[in-house]
Amino acid sequence: MLAEMGFPKGLLPMKNVVECGIVRETGFVWMKRSAPTLHYFEGCKTLASYDTEVTCYIDKAKVTKITGVMCKHLFMWVTITDTTIDTPFPTRVHFKSSVLGIGKSFPITDFMTQEEKLNYVQHQG
């Protein structure tokens, strides 16, 4: 689903998932987990927290109205509400929070699987 919309597969770790689905007509996505999950993204040195239920709307190069996802930013947890990638040549992933307009972007490779990184490097060269 993420790859179809241009996002790297590693953006949304699939640990402890017991149910997930998409309503293709609207782009509504939900994931239910057996327990909240923490995931550390090595590339960007960021800790993310995924609640037992994560929902969002996904479309080409953007994910909006995200619920259930937080990232640690300067000693505090910040709720992530939107994520976009550069188009037409994705090089960065941009995250936005509703908290005082806080946003941050990272290289797209920070969220790619090893296979995606190899393909990305081959197409860049």
Side-chain angles (χ1 to χ4, degrees), residues 14-21 28-37 50-55:
M14 299 297 284
K15 297 176 196 161
N16 303 325
V17 174
V18 294
E19 177 185 323
C20 67
F28 180 73
V29 175
W30 74 92
M31 282 186 6
K32 292 183 180 181
R33 300 171 185 273
S34 57
T37 302
Y50 299 92
D51 205 350
T52 54
E53 186 168 343
V54 173
T55 64

PDB file of all heavy atoms in Angstrom, residues 14-21 28-37 50-55:
ATOM      1  N   MET A  14       5.472  -2.876  10.690  1.00  0.00           N
ATOM      2  CA  MET A  14       4.280  -3.711  10.812  1.00  0.00           C
ATOM      3  C   MET A  14       4.373  -4.711  11.970  1.00  0.00           C
ATOM      4  O   MET A  14       3.887  -5.821  11.866  1.00  0.00           O
ATOM      5  CB  MET A  14       4.047  -4.446   9.492  1.00  0.00           C
ATOM      6  CG  MET A  14       3.817  -3.535   8.298  1.00  0.00           C
ATOM      7  SD  MET A  14       2.338  -2.535   8.449  1.00  0.00           S
ATOM      8  CE  MET A  14       1.086  -3.744   8.084  1.00  0.00           C
ATOM      9  N   LYS A  15       4.974  -4.326  13.084  1.00  0.00           N
ATOM     10  CA  LYS A  15       5.066  -5.209  14.248  1.00  0.00           C
ATOM     11  C   LYS A  15       3.729  -5.273  14.979  1.00  0.00           C
ATOM     12  O   LYS A  15       3.042  -4.272  15.117  1.00  0.00           O
ATOM     13  CB  LYS A  15       6.126  -4.691  15.225  1.00  0.00           C
ATOM     14  CG  LYS A  15       7.523  -4.663  14.670  1.00  0.00           C
ATOM     15  CD  LYS A  15       8.456  -4.052  15.686  1.00  0.00           C
ATOM     16  CE  LYS A  15       9.751  -3.644  15.046  1.00  0.00           C
ATOM     17  NZ  LYS A  15      10.480  -2.691  15.855  1.00  0.00           N
ATOM     18  N   ASN A  16       3.397  -6.453  15.475  1.00  0.00           N
ATOM     19  CA  ASN A  16       2.208  -6.670  16.318  1.00  0.00           C
ATOM     20  C   ASN A  16       0.883  -6.315  15.647  1.00  0.00           C
ATOM     21  O   ASN A  16      -0.095  -6.045  16.331  1.00  0.00           O
ATOM     22  CB  ASN A  16       2.315  -5.868  17.635  1.00  0.00           C
ATOM     23  CG  ASN A  16       3.549  -6.185  18.420  1.00  0.00           C
ATOM     24  OD1 ASN A  16       4.006  -7.318  18.436  1.00  0.00           O
ATOM     25  ND2 ASN A  16       4.113  -5.181  19.057  1.00  0.00           N
ATOM     26  N   VAL A  17       0.809  -6.290  14.327  1.00  0.00           N
ATOM     27  CA  VAL A  17      -0.433  -5.932  13.638  1.00  0.00           C
ATOM     28  C   VAL A  17      -1.381  -7.128  13.657  1.00  0.00           C
ATOM     29  O   VAL A  17      -1.007  -8.239  13.296  1.00  0.00           O
ATOM     30  CB  VAL A  17      -0.162  -5.479  12.187  1.00  0.00           C
ATOM     31  CG1 VAL A  17      -1.463  -5.264  11.434  1.00  0.00           C
ATOM     32  CG2 VAL A  17       0.674  -4.213  12.177  1.00  0.00           C
ATOM     33  N   VAL A  18      -2.612  -6.871  14.105  1.00  0.00           N
ATOM     34  CA  VAL A  18      -3.620  -7.931  14.136  1.00  0.00           C
ATOM     35  C   VAL A  18      -4.711  -7.700  13.090  1.00  0.00           C
ATOM     36  O   VAL A  18      -5.438  -8.623  12.735  1.00  0.00           O
ATOM     37  CB  VAL A  18      -4.258  -8.082  15.541  1.00  0.00           C
ATOM     38  CG1 VAL A  18      -3.227  -8.572  16.537  1.00  0.00           C
ATOM     39  CG2 VAL A  18      -4.896  -6.798  16.004  1.00  0.00           C
ATOM     40  N   GLU A  19      -4.804  -6.464  12.609  1.00  0.00           N
ATOM     41  CA  GLU A  19      -5.807  -6.152  11.588  1.00  0.00           C
ATOM     42  C   GLU A  19      -5.359  -4.897  10.848  1.00  0.00           C
ATOM     43  O   GLU A  19      -4.849  -3.960  11.455  1.00  0.00           O
ATOM     44  CB  GLU A  19      -7.162  -5.890  12.257  1.00  0.00           C
ATOM     45  CG  GLU A  19      -8.263  -5.489  11.308  1.00  0.00           C
ATOM     46  CD  GLU A  19      -9.550  -5.116  12.048  1.00  0.00           C
ATOM     47  OE1 GLU A  19      -9.873  -5.754  13.066  1.00  0.00           O
ATOM     48  OE2 GLU A  19     -10.207  -4.162  11.597  1.00  0.00           O
ATOM     49  N   CYS A  20      -5.546  -4.883   9.534  1.00  0.00           N
ATOM     50  CA  CYS A  20      -5.305  -3.659   8.780  1.00  0.00           C
ATOM     51  C   CYS A  20      -6.160  -3.692   7.525  1.00  0.00           C
ATOM     52  O   CYS A  20      -6.589  -4.753   7.081  1.00  0.00           O
ATOM     53  CB  CYS A  20      -3.832  -3.472   8.437  1.00  0.00           C
ATOM     54  SG  CYS A  20      -3.167  -4.679   7.294  1.00  0.00           S
ATOM     55  N   GLY A  21      -6.420  -2.532   6.988  1.00  0.00           N
ATOM     56  CA  GLY A  21      -7.233  -2.476   5.784  1.00  0.00           C
ATOM     57  C   GLY A  21      -7.210  -1.102   5.162  1.00  0.00           C
ATOM     58  O   GLY A  21      -6.703  -0.136   5.736  1.00  0.00           O
ATOM     59  N   PHE A  28      -8.859   5.787   3.042  1.00  0.00           N
ATOM     60  CA  PHE A  28      -8.804   5.587   4.487  1.00  0.00           C
ATOM     61  C   PHE A  28      -8.088   4.273   4.798  1.00  0.00           C
ATOM     62  O   PHE A  28      -8.393   3.231   4.217  1.00  0.00           O
ATOM     63  CB  PHE A  28     -10.209   5.564   5.095  1.00  0.00           C
ATOM     64  CG  PHE A  28     -10.203   5.356   6.582  1.00  0.00           C
ATOM     65  CD1 PHE A  28      -9.811   6.371   7.438  1.00  0.00           C
ATOM     66  CD2 PHE A  28     -10.582   4.137   7.125  1.00  0.00           C
ATOM     67  CE1 PHE A  28      -9.799   6.181   8.814  1.00  0.00           C
ATOM     68  CE2 PHE A  28     -10.579   3.935   8.501  1.00  0.00           C
ATOM     69  CZ  PHE A  28     -10.183   4.958   9.341  1.00  0.00           C
ATOM     70  N   VAL A  29      -7.124   4.351   5.715  1.00  0.00           N
ATOM     71  CA  VAL A  29      -6.330   3.183   6.116  1.00  0.00           C
ATOM     72  C   VAL A  29      -6.409   3.036   7.631  1.00  0.00           C
ATOM     73  O   VAL A  29      -6.380   4.037   8.353  1.00  0.00           O
ATOM     74  CB  VAL A  29      -4.854   3.360   5.694  1.00  0.00           C
ATOM     75  CG1 VAL A  29      -3.994   2.221   6.217  1.00  0.00           C
ATOM     76  CG2 VAL A  29      -4.734   3.483   4.192  1.00  0.00           C
ATOM     77  N   TRP A  30      -6.505   1.795   8.117  1.00  0.00           N
ATOM     78  CA  TRP A  30      -6.439   1.558   9.561  1.00  0.00           C
ATOM     79  C   TRP A  30      -5.543   0.365   9.845  1.00  0.00           C
ATOM     80  O   TRP A  30      -5.402  -0.525   9.013  1.00  0.00           O
ATOM     81  CB  TRP A  30      -7.827   1.340  10.153  1.00  0.00           C
ATOM     82  CG  TRP A  30      -8.429   0.009   9.824  1.00  0.00           C
ATOM     83  CD1 TRP A  30      -8.348  -1.147  10.564  1.00  0.00           C
ATOM     84  CD2 TRP A  30      -9.205  -0.321   8.668  1.00  0.00           C
ATOM     85  NE1 TRP A  30      -9.020  -2.165   9.934  1.00  0.00           N
ATOM     86  CE2 TRP A  30      -9.554  -1.686   8.766  1.00  0.00           C
ATOM     87  CE3 TRP A  30      -9.634   0.400   7.560  1.00  0.00           C
ATOM     88  CZ2 TRP A  30     -10.317  -2.324   7.807  1.00  0.00           C
ATOM     89  CZ3 TRP A  30     -10.376  -0.240   6.601  1.00  0.00           C
ATOM     90  CH2 TRP A  30     -10.717  -1.596   6.734  1.00  0.00           C
ATOM     91  N   MET A  31      -4.920   0.414  10.994  1.00  0.00           N
ATOM     92  CA  MET A  31      -4.104  -0.700  11.496  1.00  0.00           C
ATOM     93  C   MET A  31      -4.379  -0.844  12.975  1.00  0.00           C
ATOM     94  O   MET A  31      -4.366   0.150  13.705  1.00  0.00           O
ATOM     95  CB  MET A  31      -2.605  -0.415  11.324  1.00  0.00           C
ATOM     96  CG  MET A  31      -2.098  -0.614   9.949  1.00  0.00           C
ATOM     97  SD  MET A  31      -0.301  -0.451   9.779  1.00  0.00           S
ATOM     98  CE  MET A  31       0.318  -0.253  11.375  1.00  0.00           C
ATOM     99  N   LYS A  32      -4.627  -2.051  13.393  1.00  0.00           N
ATOM    100  CA  LYS A  32      -4.791  -2.332  14.814  1.00  0.00           C
ATOM    101  C   LYS A  32      -3.660  -3.258  15.233  1.00  0.00           C
ATOM    102  O   LYS A  32      -3.358  -4.227  14.547  1.00  0.00           O
ATOM    103  CB  LYS A  32      -6.149  -2.959  15.102  1.00  0.00           C
ATOM    104  CG  LYS A  32      -7.292  -1.992  14.863  1.00  0.00           C
ATOM    105  CD  LYS A  32      -8.624  -2.589  15.226  1.00  0.00           C
ATOM    106  CE  LYS A  32      -9.726  -1.572  14.954  1.00  0.00           C
ATOM    107  NZ  LYS A  32     -11.036  -2.089  15.315  1.00  0.00           N
ATOM    108  N   ARG A  33      -3.060  -2.941  16.376  1.00  0.00           N
ATOM    109  CA  ARG A  33      -1.948  -3.724  16.914  1.00  0.00           C
ATOM    110  C   ARG A  33      -2.363  -4.359  18.231  1.00  0.00           C
ATOM    111  O   ARG A  33      -3.242  -3.856  18.914  1.00  0.00           O
ATOM    112  CB  ARG A  33      -0.740  -2.820  17.164  1.00  0.00           C
ATOM    113  CG  ARG A  33      -0.226  -2.134  15.930  1.00  0.00           C
ATOM    114  CD  ARG A  33       0.826  -1.084  16.311  1.00  0.00           C
ATOM    115  NE  ARG A  33       1.255  -0.339  15.167  1.00  0.00           N
ATOM    116  CZ  ARG A  33       2.242  -0.713  14.359  1.00  0.00           C
ATOM    117  NH1 ARG A  33       2.911  -1.811  14.607  1.00  0.00           N
ATOM    118  NH2 ARG A  33       2.573   0.005  13.317  1.00  0.00           N
ATOM    119  N   SER A  34      -1.679  -5.437  18.575  1.00  0.00           N
ATOM    120  CA  SER A  34      -1.972  -6.094  19.844  1.00  0.00           C
ATOM    121  C   SER A  34      -1.472  -5.273  21.027  1.00  0.00           C
ATOM    122  O   SER A  34      -1.962  -5.417  22.136  1.00  0.00           O
ATOM    123  CB  SER A  34      -1.354  -7.493  19.870  1.00  0.00           C
ATOM    124  OG  SER A  34       0.038  -7.418  19.654  1.00  0.00           O
ATOM    125  N   ALA A  35      -0.508  -4.387  20.776  1.00  0.00           N
ATOM    126  CA  ALA A  35       0.040  -3.526  21.828  1.00  0.00           C
ATOM    127  C   ALA A  35       0.708  -2.321  21.167  1.00  0.00           C
ATOM    128  O   ALA A  35       1.119  -2.402  20.007  1.00  0.00           O
ATOM    129  CB  ALA A  35       1.075  -4.293  22.650  1.00  0.00           C
ATOM    130  N   PRO A  36       0.818  -1.210  21.887  1.00  0.00           N
ATOM    131  CA  PRO A  36       1.562  -0.074  21.328  1.00  0.00           C
ATOM    132  C   PRO A  36       2.991  -0.506  20.993  1.00  0.00           C
ATOM    133  O   PRO A  36       3.536  -1.410  21.626  1.00  0.00           O
ATOM    134  CB  PRO A  36       1.562   0.955  22.464  1.00  0.00           C
ATOM    135  CG  PRO A  36       0.446   0.555  23.358  1.00  0.00           C
ATOM    136  CD  PRO A  36       0.324  -0.936  23.229  1.00  0.00           C
ATOM    137  N   THR A  37       3.577   0.132  19.992  1.00  0.00           N
ATOM    138  CA  THR A  37       4.898  -0.264  19.519  1.00  0.00           C
ATOM    139  C   THR A  37       5.824   0.941  19.421  1.00  0.00           C
ATOM    140  O   THR A  37       5.413   1.993  18.941  1.00  0.00           O
ATOM    141  CB  THR A  37       4.787  -0.912  18.115  1.00  0.00           C
ATOM    142  OG1 THR A  37       3.912  -2.020  18.193  1.00  0.00           O
ATOM    143  CG2 THR A  37       6.126  -1.363  17.603  1.00  0.00           C
ATOM    144  N   TYR A  50       3.831   4.009  17.982  1.00  0.00           N
ATOM    145  CA  TYR A  50       2.615   3.670  17.253  1.00  0.00           C
ATOM    146  C   TYR A  50       1.615   3.109  18.251  1.00  0.00           C
ATOM    147  O   TYR A  50       1.886   2.124  18.932  1.00  0.00           O
ATOM    148  CB  TYR A  50       2.921   2.634  16.162  1.00  0.00           C
ATOM    149  CG  TYR A  50       3.903   3.156  15.145  1.00  0.00           C
ATOM    150  CD1 TYR A  50       5.267   2.948  15.306  1.00  0.00           C
ATOM    151  CD2 TYR A  50       3.474   3.876  14.039  1.00  0.00           C
ATOM    152  CE1 TYR A  50       6.182   3.443  14.381  1.00  0.00           C
ATOM    153  CE2 TYR A  50       4.382   4.381  13.121  1.00  0.00           C
ATOM    154  CZ  TYR A  50       5.731   4.146  13.301  1.00  0.00           C
ATOM    155  OH  TYR A  50       6.634   4.636  12.391  1.00  0.00           O
ATOM    156  N   ASP A  51       0.457   3.746  18.350  1.00  0.00           N
ATOM    157  CA  ASP A  51      -0.589   3.334  19.282  1.00  0.00           C
ATOM    158  C   ASP A  51      -1.213   2.012  18.815  1.00  0.00           C
ATOM    159  O   ASP A  51      -0.904   1.516  17.742  1.00  0.00           O
ATOM    160  CB  ASP A  51      -1.655   4.426  19.355  1.00  0.00           C
ATOM    161  CG  ASP A  51      -2.419   4.411  20.669  1.00  0.00           C
ATOM    162  OD1 ASP A  51      -2.263   3.462  21.452  1.00  0.00           O
ATOM    163  OD2 ASP A  51      -3.186   5.362  20.903  1.00  0.00           O
ATOM    164  N   THR A  52      -2.113   1.467  19.618  1.00  0.00           N
ATOM    165  CA  THR A  52      -2.764   0.211  19.242  1.00  0.00           C
ATOM    166  C   THR A  52      -3.629   0.383  17.999  1.00  0.00           C
ATOM    167  O   THR A  52      -3.875  -0.581  17.284  1.00  0.00           O
ATOM    168  CB  THR A  52      -3.634  -0.344  20.392  1.00  0.00           C
ATOM    169  OG1 THR A  52      -4.533   0.668  20.809  1.00  0.00           O
ATOM    170  CG2 THR A  52      -2.775  -0.810  21.542  1.00  0.00           C
ATOM    171  N   GLU A  53      -4.093   1.601  17.732  1.00  0.00           N
ATOM    172  CA  GLU A  53      -4.840   1.855  16.503  1.00  0.00           C
ATOM    173  C   GLU A  53      -4.242   3.067  15.803  1.00  0.00           C
ATOM    174  O   GLU A  53      -4.095   4.132  16.395  1.00  0.00           O
ATOM    175  CB  GLU A  53      -6.319   2.101  16.786  1.00  0.00           C
ATOM    176  CG  GLU A  53      -7.127   2.209  15.517  1.00  0.00           C
ATOM    177  CD  GLU A  53      -8.631   2.157  15.741  1.00  0.00           C
ATOM    178  OE1 GLU A  53      -9.066   1.713  16.820  1.00  0.00           O
ATOM    179  OE2 GLU A  53      -9.366   2.544  14.830  1.00  0.00           O
ATOM    180  N   VAL A  54      -3.876   2.891  14.539  1.00  0.00           N
ATOM    181  CA  VAL A  54      -3.334   3.953  13.701  1.00  0.00           C
ATOM    182  C   VAL A  54      -4.261   4.102  12.511  1.00  0.00           C
ATOM    183  O   VAL A  54      -4.622   3.105  11.871  1.00  0.00           O
ATOM    184  CB  VAL A  54      -1.900   3.617  13.216  1.00  0.00           C
ATOM    185  CG1 VAL A  54      -1.406   4.643  12.207  1.00  0.00           C
ATOM    186  CG2 VAL A  54      -0.949   3.511  14.395  1.00  0.00           C
ATOM    187  N   THR A  55      -4.670   5.342  12.229  1.00  0.00           N
ATOM    188  CA  THR A  55      -5.519   5.594  11.068  1.00  0.00           C
ATOM    189  C   THR A  55      -4.954   6.766  10.270  1.00  0.00           C
ATOM    190  O   THR A  55      -4.205   7.592  10.808  1.00  0.00           O
ATOM    191  CB  THR A  55      -6.972   5.933  11.470  1.00  0.00           C
ATOM    192  OG1 THR A  55      -6.980   7.159  12.207  1.00  0.00           O
ATOM    193  CG2 THR A  55      -7.603   4.820  12.296  1.00  0.00           C
TER     194      THR A  55
END
